[in-house]
PDB file of all heavy atoms in Angstrom:
ATOM      1  N   VAL A 367     117.941  75.944  20.278  1.00 96.00           N
ATOM      2  CA  VAL A 367     117.358  74.770  20.939  1.00 96.00           C
ATOM      3  C   VAL A 367     117.245  73.603  19.967  1.00 96.00           C
ATOM      4  O   VAL A 367     117.582  72.452  20.290  1.00 96.00           O
ATOM      5  CB  VAL A 367     115.981  75.126  21.530  1.00 96.00           C
ATOM      6  CG1 VAL A 367     115.242  73.851  21.969  1.00 96.00           C
ATOM      7  CG2 VAL A 367     116.123  76.060  22.718  1.00 96.00           C
ATOM      8  N   ASN A 368     116.789  73.877  18.755  1.00 96.00           N
ATOM      9  CA  ASN A 368     116.611  72.812  17.772  1.00 96.00           C
ATOM     10  C   ASN A 368     117.948  72.199  17.334  1.00 96.00           C
ATOM     11  O   ASN A 368     118.054  70.976  17.154  1.00 96.00           O
ATOM     12  CB  ASN A 368     115.855  73.347  16.555  1.00 96.00           C
ATOM     13  CG  ASN A 368     114.402  73.670  16.875  1.00 96.00           C
ATOM     14  OD1 ASN A 368     113.840  73.119  17.822  1.00 96.00           O
ATOM     15  ND2 ASN A 368     113.796  74.552  16.104  1.00 96.00           N
ATOM     16  N   LEU A 369     118.972  73.034  17.167  1.00 97.00           N
ATOM     17  CA  LEU A 369     120.279  72.514  16.776  1.00 97.00           C
ATOM     18  C   LEU A 369     120.874  71.658  17.883  1.00 97.00           C
ATOM     19  O   LEU A 369     121.457  70.591  17.624  1.00 97.00           O
ATOM     20  CB  LEU A 369     121.217  73.673  16.424  1.00 97.00           C
ATOM     21  CG  LEU A 369     120.968  74.325  15.061  1.00 97.00           C
ATOM     22  CD1 LEU A 369     121.723  75.649  14.947  1.00 97.00           C
ATOM     23  CD2 LEU A 369     121.375  73.382  13.926  1.00 97.00           C
ATOM     24  N   PHE A 370     120.729  72.103  19.138  1.00 96.00           N
ATOM     25  CA  PHE A 370     121.230  71.292  20.257  1.00 96.00           C
ATOM     26  C   PHE A 370     120.473  69.977  20.352  1.00 96.00           C
ATOM     27  O   PHE A 370     121.068  68.920  20.623  1.00 96.00           O
ATOM     28  CB  PHE A 370     121.121  72.073  21.573  1.00 96.00           C
ATOM     29  CG  PHE A 370     122.367  72.817  21.937  1.00 96.00           C
ATOM     30  CD1 PHE A 370     122.406  74.200  21.868  1.00 96.00           C
ATOM     31  CD2 PHE A 370     123.506  72.155  22.347  1.00 96.00           C
ATOM     32  CE1 PHE A 370     123.557  74.901  22.205  1.00 96.00           C
ATOM     33  CE2 PHE A 370     124.661  72.832  22.686  1.00 96.00           C
ATOM     34  CZ  PHE A 370     124.686  74.212  22.612  1.00 96.00           C
ATOM     35  N   ALA A 371     119.170  70.018  20.117  1.00 95.00           N
ATOM     36  CA  ALA A 371     118.380  68.790  20.182  1.00 95.00           C
ATOM     37  C   ALA A 371     118.834  67.808  19.106  1.00 95.00           C
ATOM     38  O   ALA A 371     118.925  66.596  19.345  1.00 95.00           O
ATOM     39  CB  ALA A 371     116.897  69.113  20.013  1.00 95.00           C
ATOM     40  N   LYS A 372     119.159  68.338  17.942  1.00 95.00           N
ATOM     41  CA  LYS A 372     119.595  67.482  16.837  1.00 95.00           C
ATOM     42  C   LYS A 372     120.961  66.870  17.136  1.00 95.00           C
ATOM     43  O   LYS A 372     121.169  65.658  17.005  1.00 95.00           O
ATOM     44  CB  LYS A 372     119.639  68.312  15.553  1.00 95.00           C
ATOM     45  CG  LYS A 372     119.815  67.495  14.285  1.00 95.00           C
ATOM     46  CD  LYS A 372     119.723  68.397  13.054  1.00 95.00           C
ATOM     47  CE  LYS A 372     119.899  67.579  11.773  1.00 95.00           C
ATOM     48  NZ  LYS A 372     119.873  68.468  10.572  1.00 95.00           N
ATOM     49  N   ILE A 373     121.894  67.708  17.573  1.00 95.00           N
ATOM     50  CA  ILE A 373     123.250  67.222  17.869  1.00 95.00           C
ATOM     51  C   ILE A 373     123.235  66.304  19.093  1.00 95.00           C
ATOM     52  O   ILE A 373     123.861  65.244  19.108  1.00 95.00           O
ATOM     53  CB  ILE A 373     124.206  68.409  18.104  1.00 95.00           C
ATOM     54  CG1 ILE A 373     124.323  69.264  16.832  1.00 95.00           C
ATOM     55  CG2 ILE A 373     125.585  67.919  18.540  1.00 95.00           C
ATOM     56  CD1 ILE A 373     124.989  70.620  17.064  1.00 95.00           C
ATOM     57  N   GLY A 374     122.487  66.708  20.105  1.00 94.00           N
ATOM     58  CA  GLY A 374     122.493  65.984  21.372  1.00 94.00           C
ATOM     59  C   GLY A 374     121.815  64.639  21.336  1.00 94.00           C
ATOM     60  O   GLY A 374     122.081  63.775  22.187  1.00 94.00           O
ATOM     61  N   THR A 375     120.905  64.429  20.375  1.00 94.00           N
ATOM     62  CA  THR A 375     120.214  63.143  20.282  1.00 94.00           C
ATOM     63  C   THR A 375     120.869  62.200  19.281  1.00 94.00           C
ATOM     64  O   THR A 375     120.347  61.118  19.005  1.00 94.00           O
ATOM     65  CB  THR A 375     118.738  63.349  19.886  1.00 94.00           C
ATOM     66  OG1 THR A 375     118.672  64.104  18.665  1.00 94.00           O
ATOM     67  CG2 THR A 375     117.981  64.079  20.977  1.00 94.00           C
ATOM     68  N   GLY A 376     122.021  62.619  18.751  1.00 93.00           N
ATOM     69  CA  GLY A 376     122.746  61.758  17.836  1.00 93.00           C
ATOM     70  C   GLY A 376     122.280  61.849  16.401  1.00 93.00           C
ATOM     71  O   GLY A 376     122.646  61.002  15.569  1.00 93.00           O
ATOM     72  N   GLU A 377     121.474  62.837  16.079  1.00 94.00           N
ATOM     73  CA  GLU A 377     120.954  62.992  14.721  1.00 94.00           C
ATOM     74  C   GLU A 377     121.641  64.132  13.967  1.00 94.00           C
ATOM     75  O   GLU A 377     121.255  64.452  12.843  1.00 94.00           O
ATOM     76  CB  GLU A 377     119.442  63.234  14.770  1.00 94.00           C
ATOM     77  CG  GLU A 377     118.665  62.088  15.388  1.00 94.00           C
ATOM     78  CD  GLU A 377     117.181  62.381  15.483  1.00 94.00           C
ATOM     79  OE1 GLU A 377     116.765  63.472  15.030  1.00 94.00           O
ATOM     80  OE2 GLU A 377     116.443  61.528  16.008  1.00 94.00           O
ATOM     81  N   GLY A 378     122.629  64.752  14.601  1.00 94.00           N
ATOM     82  CA  GLY A 378     123.283  65.898  13.987  1.00 94.00           C
ATOM     83  C   GLY A 378     124.383  65.505  13.009  1.00 94.00           C
ATOM     84  O   GLY A 378     124.838  64.356  12.968  1.00 94.00           O
ATOM     85  N   GLU A 379     124.805  66.490  12.243  1.00 95.00           N
ATOM     86  CA  GLU A 379     125.917  66.349  11.314  1.00 95.00           C
ATOM     87  C   GLU A 379     126.929  67.449  11.603  1.00 95.00           C
ATOM     88  O   GLU A 379     126.626  68.408  12.319  1.00 95.00           O
ATOM     89  CB  GLU A 379     125.414  66.459   9.869  1.00 95.00           C
ATOM     90  CG  GLU A 379     124.362  65.426   9.513  1.00 95.00           C
ATOM     91  CD  GLU A 379     123.806  65.625   8.104  1.00 95.00           C
ATOM     92  OE1 GLU A 379     124.430  66.380   7.320  1.00 95.00           O
ATOM     93  OE2 GLU A 379     122.751  65.051   7.808  1.00 95.00           O
ATOM     94  N   GLU A 380     128.114  67.321  11.039  1.00 96.00           N
ATOM     95  CA  GLU A 380     129.146  68.335  11.273  1.00 96.00           C
ATOM     96  C   GLU A 380     128.676  69.717  10.839  1.00 96.00           C
ATOM     97  O   GLU A 380     129.010  70.720  11.466  1.00 96.00           O
ATOM     98  CB  GLU A 380     130.438  67.950  10.551  1.00 96.00           C
ATOM     99  CG  GLU A 380     131.178  66.790  11.196  1.00 96.00           C
ATOM    100  CD  GLU A 380     132.547  66.567  10.587  1.00 96.00           C
ATOM    101  OE1 GLU A 380     133.227  67.568  10.271  1.00 96.00           O
ATOM    102  OE2 GLU A 380     132.955  65.400  10.426  1.00 96.00           O
ATOM    103  N   LYS A 381     127.891  69.772   9.774  1.00 97.00           N
ATOM    104  CA  LYS A 381     127.414  71.072   9.299  1.00 97.00           C
ATOM    105  C   LYS A 381     126.488  71.745  10.319  1.00 97.00           C
ATOM    106  O   LYS A 381     126.359  72.967  10.341  1.00 97.00           O
ATOM    107  CB  LYS A 381     126.716  70.932   7.955  1.00 97.00           C
ATOM    108  CG  LYS A 381     125.411  70.166   7.981  1.00 97.00           C
ATOM    109  CD  LYS A 381     124.776  70.121   6.589  1.00 97.00           C
ATOM    110  CE  LYS A 381     123.427  69.393   6.630  1.00 97.00           C
ATOM    111  NZ  LYS A 381     122.802  69.356   5.276  1.00 97.00           N
ATOM    112  N   ASP A 382     125.834  70.940  11.179  1.00 96.00           N
ATOM    113  CA  ASP A 382     124.975  71.515  12.217  1.00 96.00           C
ATOM    114  C   ASP A 382     125.810  72.238  13.271  1.00 96.00           C
ATOM    115  O   ASP A 382     125.391  73.259  13.820  1.00 96.00           O
ATOM    116  CB  ASP A 382     124.134  70.430  12.879  1.00 96.00           C
ATOM    117  CG  ASP A 382     123.125  69.822  11.922  1.00 96.00           C
ATOM    118  OD1 ASP A 382     122.459  70.594  11.208  1.00 96.00           O
ATOM    119  OD2 ASP A 382     123.019  68.584  11.884  1.00 96.00           O
ATOM    120  N   VAL A 383     126.980  71.696  13.573  1.00 97.00           N
ATOM    121  CA  VAL A 383     127.904  72.364  14.506  1.00 97.00           C
ATOM    122  C   VAL A 383     128.362  73.683  13.916  1.00 97.00           C
ATOM    123  O   VAL A 383     128.411  74.719  14.602  1.00 97.00           O
ATOM    124  CB  VAL A 383     129.110  71.456  14.826  1.00 97.00           C
ATOM    125  CG1 VAL A 383     130.080  72.172  15.770  1.00 97.00           C
ATOM    126  CG2 VAL A 383     128.645  70.136  15.438  1.00 97.00           C
ATOM    127  N   GLU A 384     128.680  73.673  12.619  1.00 97.00           N
ATOM    128  CA  GLU A 384     129.109  74.904  11.951  1.00 97.00           C
ATOM    129  C   GLU A 384     127.962  75.912  11.885  1.00 97.00           C
ATOM    130  O   GLU A 384     128.178  77.118  12.030  1.00 97.00           O
ATOM    131  CB  GLU A 384     129.613  74.584  10.535  1.00 97.00           C
ATOM    132  CG  GLU A 384     130.747  73.557  10.481  1.00 97.00           C
ATOM    133  CD  GLU A 384     131.948  73.945  11.316  1.00 97.00           C
ATOM    134  OE1 GLU A 384     132.232  75.155  11.450  1.00 97.00           O
ATOM    135  OE2 GLU A 384     132.615  73.032  11.867  1.00 97.00           O
ATOM    136  N   THR A 385     126.755  75.427  11.667  1.00 97.00           N
ATOM    137  CA  THR A 385     125.583  76.309  11.637  1.00 97.00           C
ATOM    138  C   THR A 385     125.375  76.975  12.993  1.00 97.00           C
ATOM    139  O   THR A 385     125.095  78.173  13.088  1.00 97.00           O
ATOM    140  CB  THR A 385     124.323  75.528  11.233  1.00 97.00           C
ATOM    141  OG1 THR A 385     124.509  74.991   9.926  1.00 97.00           O
ATOM    142  CG2 THR A 385     123.098  76.427  11.235  1.00 97.00           C
ATOM    143  N   LEU A 386     125.501  76.178  14.053  1.00 97.00           N
ATOM    144  CA  LEU A 386     125.364  76.719  15.406  1.00 97.00           C
ATOM    145  C   LEU A 386     126.405  77.810  15.649  1.00 97.00           C
ATOM    146  O   LEU A 386     126.086  78.884  16.173  1.00 97.00           O
ATOM    147  CB  LEU A 386     125.522  75.596  16.435  1.00 97.00           C
ATOM    148  CG  LEU A 386     125.478  76.003  17.915  1.00 97.00           C
ATOM    149  CD1 LEU A 386     124.143  76.633  18.276  1.00 97.00           C
ATOM    150  CD2 LEU A 386     125.760  74.795  18.808  1.00 97.00           C
ATOM    151  N   GLU A 387     127.629  77.545  15.276  1.00 97.00           N
ATOM    152  CA  GLU A 387     128.708  78.510  15.477  1.00 97.00           C
ATOM    153  C   GLU A 387     128.466  79.786  14.669  1.00 97.00           C
ATOM    154  O   GLU A 387     128.716  80.894  15.149  1.00 97.00           O
ATOM    155  CB  GLU A 387     130.035  77.880  15.092  1.00 97.00           C
ATOM    156  CG  GLU A 387     131.252  78.627  15.588  1.00 97.00           C
ATOM    157  CD  GLU A 387     132.522  77.797  15.485  1.00 97.00           C
ATOM    158  OE1 GLU A 387     132.584  76.879  14.640  1.00 97.00           O
ATOM    159  OE2 GLU A 387     133.460  78.061  16.264  1.00 97.00           O
ATOM    160  N   ALA A 388     127.960  79.650  13.444  1.00 97.00           N
ATOM    161  CA  ALA A 388     127.689  80.812  12.590  1.00 97.00           C
ATOM    162  C   ALA A 388     126.474  81.601  13.071  1.00 97.00           C
ATOM    163  O   ALA A 388     126.363  82.813  12.812  1.00 97.00           O
ATOM    164  CB  ALA A 388     127.460  80.348  11.148  1.00 97.00           C
ATOM    165  N   LEU A 389     125.571  80.916  13.782  1.00 97.00           N
ATOM    166  CA  LEU A 389     124.352  81.568  14.269  1.00 97.00           C
ATOM    167  C   LEU A 389     124.617  82.546  15.410  1.00 97.00           C
ATOM    168  O   LEU A 389     123.951  83.595  15.524  1.00 97.00           O
ATOM    169  CB  LEU A 389     123.367  80.482  14.735  1.00 97.00           C
ATOM    170  CG  LEU A 389     122.046  80.928  15.357  1.00 97.00           C
ATOM    171  CD1 LEU A 389     121.173  81.625  14.323  1.00 97.00           C
ATOM    172  CD2 LEU A 389     121.314  79.712  15.937  1.00 97.00           C
ATOM    173  N   LEU A 390     125.589  82.222  16.253  1.00 97.00           N
ATOM    174  CA  LEU A 390     125.803  82.991  17.487  1.00 97.00           C
ATOM    175  C   LEU A 390     126.035  84.483  17.253  1.00 97.00           C
ATOM    176  O   LEU A 390     125.426  85.317  17.944  1.00 97.00           O
ATOM    177  CB  LEU A 390     126.953  82.378  18.290  1.00 97.00           C
ATOM    178  CG  LEU A 390     126.755  80.903  18.700  1.00 97.00           C
ATOM    179  CD1 LEU A 390     127.922  80.431  19.542  1.00 97.00           C
ATOM    180  CD2 LEU A 390     125.440  80.701  19.439  1.00 97.00           C
TER     181      LEU A 390
END
Side-chain angles (χ1 to χ4, degrees):
V367 169
N368 291 336
L369 284 167
F370 266 109
K372 191 175 180 183
I373 297 167
T375 55
E377 298 177 2
E379 302 176 15
E380 287 189 39
K381 67 178 182 180
D382 294 314
V383 179
E384 304 304 328
T385 299
L386 177 61
E387 195 166 25
L389 177 67
L390 301 183

